[in-house]
Amino acid sequence: MKSALSNYARPILFLTLVVFIAVSVLSLTYQATKDTIEEQQDAKIKSTLQELFPALDTYEYQDSLYTIYSQDDTIGYAFLTSGKGYGGNIDIMVGIENETTLKGILIISQQETPGLGNRITEDWFTSSFAGLSLSDVFLKKDGGAIDGITGATISSRAVVDAVREAAMEKIKAIPERTQAKAGDLE
Amino acid sequence: MSRLRKEFLKGIIISNPVFVLALGLCPALAISISIDNALGMSMGVAIVLLGSNIMVATLRKIVPNAVRIPVFIVIIASFVTIIDLLFQAYFPPLHQSLGIYLPLIVVNCIVLGRAEAFASKNPIFDSIADALGIAIGFMLALLLVSFIRQMLGTGMLTVFGKELLRLPGLASHPMALFVLPPGAFLVIALLLALFRRMGVLKNE
Amino acid sequence: MNELISIFIGMALVNNFVLSRFLGLCPFFGVSKKLDNALSMGIAVTLVMFLASVVTWFIYHHILVPFNVEYMKIIIYIVVIASLVQIVEMAIKRTNVTLYNALGIYLPLITTNCAVLGITLINTQEDFSLIQSMVSALGGGIGFLFVLVIMSGIRERLELSDVPKSMKGLPIAFITAMLLSLTFFGFGGMV
């Protein structure tokens, strides 16, 4: 009887003990690395935003919209969006100066075909968005101001459409935000 | 000492995990598009392999047989989580480019295979030698595949942002196929065939 | 609805588990020698992928996130998958002996199939909702089943053809996979 009990009990106790030790070690590792991981993520976001807004001093994040400050002035807004490319999602950070004008875009991640679609990360393509009016954010062949990439229309159009559609959506939130801020001051 | 050396050396060529045993193919194919990835991945696998081999060899006499495999899996998964957190904290770009293939080390047949086939039956020092040998064998295989794919696929050899080599002609018109999934299958197929031709591998 | 279709096609064809993500390669080369085995293995994997996606979705969103222990996901997911495989195996054994005889031997292998852990991690990474996770698991599983069946058809023929000595077996299977993977490139841009 005793041996039957220990036959069942010992393995279960042993496994429980191993799991307990494993969980403790993991939570210790997590506590030790948590701050560094957060710092790294903040630094990455800040350097991305800084690339779009060189004058950036601080930024604020609320409702998936980054508000960019230079000293105390608001110099623009930024947000993340994603488009459906040839090989999957294309994540883009978009900067806007005000309700009508783009500041610029950066491709954060993409899985497009090397040599064709992945040329959306090249400077000449992303920099062609800088300073554009939102109504011009179309490919030239669709009546806009952006040169598509030869042989990679799907990828180029995915970026252009994602940027324009998301920007149109986001600018609706901006005036309210500015008003809310003014309201706070009173 | 010579026994430890034998356990160490066998993993590098005679039973190279990738080319001879055909284990751990998922990461070998998926992330082998750059030398950086290959180094990062093999570092991850080496740490997990070493850690789990040591733990399993230490516990081998007291682990109840009925829960042997679950205990091994918990040990391996813990080491994988630890390196996942460490990579996230100290090598964020590498963590990003390895993506889900870093956590997938848990189900890498090499790691569980060594725990079950070797470390659970052998003393600690033999298990350490075995882990090091297998890890180096895995690293060499990954580096070889990545080197070929990066050279042909981009025409350049860059390691951690530093350009080491640039092939004239190929750099401006790279054979992008090699950094795409089909290129991975092709390179592994040709390397496997080559290793067989050289007689390192037995034919089936 | 459109979004669900695009997730399904993306998982099954564009980013096929075997041919573009390299997940589940061991069973892909191991059991793709015969058509019957390939079909059984594919169905078993799809079933476990689907169940694992549902269970891990609840665990992630209702346990890990509220308690702020998302970093435990690797260890929890692998335990969930291992237990699920055991439960499915027992359930099939008790209810349907024919099915058990067909799938039985493949079930234990599924625990260490990277496609299963892969789909749960992808669902978490993409922040899919429950429905989206279910669709993506089905897409991934069916895509896996699809190429496994194609591959086994080709390999049955390959057995009869005259392959160079050092290319026999695994190398020629990899060359076949390369051609299939190249073919699947044609699905790009469908999502």
Side-chain angles (χ1 to χ4, degrees):
Chain A
M1 202 55 214
K2 194 176 166 249
S3 78
L5 183 71
S6 67
N7 267 349
Y8 284 108
R10 207 174 89 85
I12 293 171
L13 279 176
F14 191 86
L15 187 57
T16 318
L17 189 70
V18 168
V19 170
F20 181 75
I21 295 172
V23 169
S24 326
V25 171
L26 288 190
S27 68
L28 282 179
T29 319
Y30 175 70
Q31 295 301 334
T33 52
K34 194 174 74 176
D35 294 339
T36 325
I37 292 174
E38 274 169 16
E39 273 167 34
Q40 293 276 12
Q41 282 164 348
D42 286 347
K44 199 184 160 205
I45 291 171
K46 188 162 183 181
S47 74
T48 311
L49 292 174
Q50 216 145 24
E51 229 173 292
L52 288 173
F53 296 93
L56 170 142
D57 286 322
T58 52
Y59 68 91
E60 203 176 76
Y61 181 69
Q62 198 196 338
D63 301 333
S64 63
L65 190 68
Y66 297 93
T67 310
I68 316 293
Y69 300 104
S70 173
Q71 280 151 1
D72 286 333
D73 302 326
T74 308
I75 54 169
Y77 305 89
F79 52 86
L80 274 173
T81 185
S82 69
K84 289 254 179 254
Y86 195 82
N89 281 347
I90 305 171
D91 293 328
I92 313 159
M93 179 71 94
V94 184
I96 47 179
E97 257 172 74
N98 51 45
E99 287 85 344
T100 52
T101 318
L102 274 185
K103 177 73 181 175
I105 68 159
L106 271 179
I107 308 290
I108 306 290
S109 71
Q110 50 85 27
Q111 302 142 33
E112 302 306 285
T113 320
L116 288 168
N118 84 340
R119 294 182 64 207
I120 54 172
T121 56
E122 288 176 8
D123 232 17
W124 67 266
F125 182 72
T126 51
S127 64
S128 68
F129 286 77
L132 278 191
S133 152
L134 282 187
S135 54
D136 285 337
V137 185
F138 283 97
L139 291 183
K140 274 194 177 143
K141 64 168 83 167
D142 300 332
I146 294 161
D147 278 311
I149 296 158
T150 321
T153 313
I154 291 180
S155 310
S156 340
R157 199 174 273 151
V159 175
V160 171
D161 288 351
V163 168
R164 186 188 59 252
E165 279 160 22
M168 294 290 194
E169 189 58 38
K170 291 286 178 190
I171 54 171
K172 290 180 195 158
I174 296 172
E176 288 167 30
R177 172 86 64 93
T178 332
Q179 275 160 19
K181 190 129 191 142
D184 287 346
L185 287 172
E186 284 168 15
Chain B
M1 204 55 221
S2 72
R3 194 187 73 223
L4 290 187
R5 194 194 295 137
K6 198 187 98 223
E7 300 300 355
F8 174 69
L9 287 177
K10 74 168 191 288
I12 299 178
I13 296 176
I14 314 168
S15 49
N16 184 294
V18 178
F19 292 125
V20 181
L21 306 177
L23 291 176
L25 287 170
C26 303
L29 287 148
I31 57 92
S32 60
I33 50 169
S34 70
I35 299 283
D36 300 7
N37 276 359
L39 289 173
M41 188 70 192
S42 34
M43 196 166 84
V45 169
I47 297 171
V48 175
L49 198 54
L50 199 58
S52 65
N53 255 16
I54 291 174
M55 291 300 294
V56 168
T58 316
L59 297 174
R60 74 183 189 283
K61 282 186 182 141
I62 52 169
V63 171
N65 213 29
V67 290
R68 200 179 70 244
I69 299 287
V71 167
F72 294 172
I73 290 180
V74 169
I75 292 173
I76 294 169
S78 311
F79 278 107
V80 171
T81 309
I82 291 173
I83 57 149
D84 191 54
L85 287 166
L86 290 177
F87 272 45
Q88 216 174 333
Y90 300 105
F91 315 104
L94 207 53
H95 184 260
Q96 167 121 21
S97 72
L98 293 178
I100 62 161
Y101 297 98
L102 197 60
L104 281 177
I105 296 176
V106 178
V107 283
N108 190 317
C109 332
I110 299 175
V111 182
L112 188 60
R114 291 331 284 175
E116 169 71 2
F118 195 90
S120 67
K121 300 187 187 90
N122 288 285
I124 297 179
F125 287 107
D126 295 50
S127 300
I128 293 177
D130 175 74
L132 287 177
I134 294 282
I136 291 174
F138 181 69
M139 185 179 76
L140 291 178
L142 223 53
L143 281 176
L144 179 61
V145 179
S146 305
F147 175 76
I148 297 173
R149 289 183 68 193
Q150 199 182 8
M151 281 309 263
L152 298 177
T154 66
M156 289 183 266
L157 190 67
T158 46
V159 179
F160 295 114
K162 256 176 75 179
E163 191 180 310
L164 296 183
L165 202 64
R166 178 183 277 267
L167 292 180
L170 206 56
S172 49
H173 296 92
M175 294 189 265
L177 177 80
F178 282 97
V179 284
L180 292 173
F185 286 116
L186 181 61
V187 171
I188 295 261
L190 295 179
L191 285 174
L192 279 173
L194 184 71
F195 272 66
R196 284 198 182 168
R197 189 81 187 81
M198 284 166 22
V200 181
L201 260 169
K202 290 192 297 283
N203 272 309
E204 270 171 24
Chain C
M1 196 60 209
N2 262 341
E3 204 200 340
L4 293 182
I5 294 175
S6 107
I7 289 177
F8 184 85
I9 294 179
M11 282 289 177
L13 301 176
V14 182
N15 292 314
N16 183 277
F17 260 59
V18 179
L19 298 177
S20 129
R21 294 188 203 259
F22 308 106
L23 298 174
L25 283 176
C26 301
F28 179 65
F29 289 116
V31 292
S32 65
K33 285 182 187 158
K34 279 211 181 101
L35 194 61
D36 297 348
N37 300 352
L39 205 58
S40 306
M41 180 69 176
I43 293 170
V45 168
T46 311
L47 182 69
V48 176
M49 275 170 78
F50 182 78
L51 293 175
S53 293
V54 174
V55 176
T56 55
W57 188 89
F58 278 105
I59 291 183
Y60 187 77
H61 289 273
H62 294 283
I63 299 177
L64 298 186
V65 174
F67 288 97
N68 225 347
V69 286
E70 290 97 328
Y71 63 93
M72 294 282 182
K73 67 172 187 286
I74 304 174
I75 201 166
I76 305 263
Y77 285 8
I78 190 75
V79 171
V80 165
I81 292 167
S83 342
L84 258 180
V85 170
Q86 290 272 319
I87 295 170
V88 169
E89 194 182 352
M90 284 191 297
I92 295 181
K93 200 174 187 176
R94 297 230 171 125
T95 52
N96 191 332
V97 181
T98 337
L99 193 63
Y100 180 76
N101 288 337
L103 299 185
I105 51 162
Y106 301 111
L107 282 167
L109 292 175
I110 293 176
T111 309
T112 51
N113 182 337
C114 24
V116 182
L117 186 61
I119 188 74
T120 59
L121 291 169
I122 290 170
N123 288 340
T124 308
Q125 192 183 14
E126 300 275 328
D127 210 9
F128 280 155
S129 70
L130 180 58
I131 304 288
Q132 287 173 326
S133 304
M134 288 157 96
V135 170
S136 89
L138 278 182
I142 289 171
F144 178 76
L145 172 76
F146 185 46
V147 291
L148 206 61
V149 168
I150 297 180
M151 187 71 178
S152 61
I154 299 174
R155 283 183 84 176
E156 279 185 358
R157 296 265 179 122
L158 266 179
E159 290 287 306
L160 307 171
S161 43
D162 189 20
V163 177
K165 198 171 156 227
S166 38
M167 294 293 280
K168 273 208 172 83
L170 215 45
I172 195 71
F174 269 97
I175 298 278
T176 316
M178 173 231 162
L179 293 171
L180 273 178
S181 162
L182 206 54
T183 318
F184 269 59
F185 248 76
F187 292 117
M190 265 177 74
V191 282

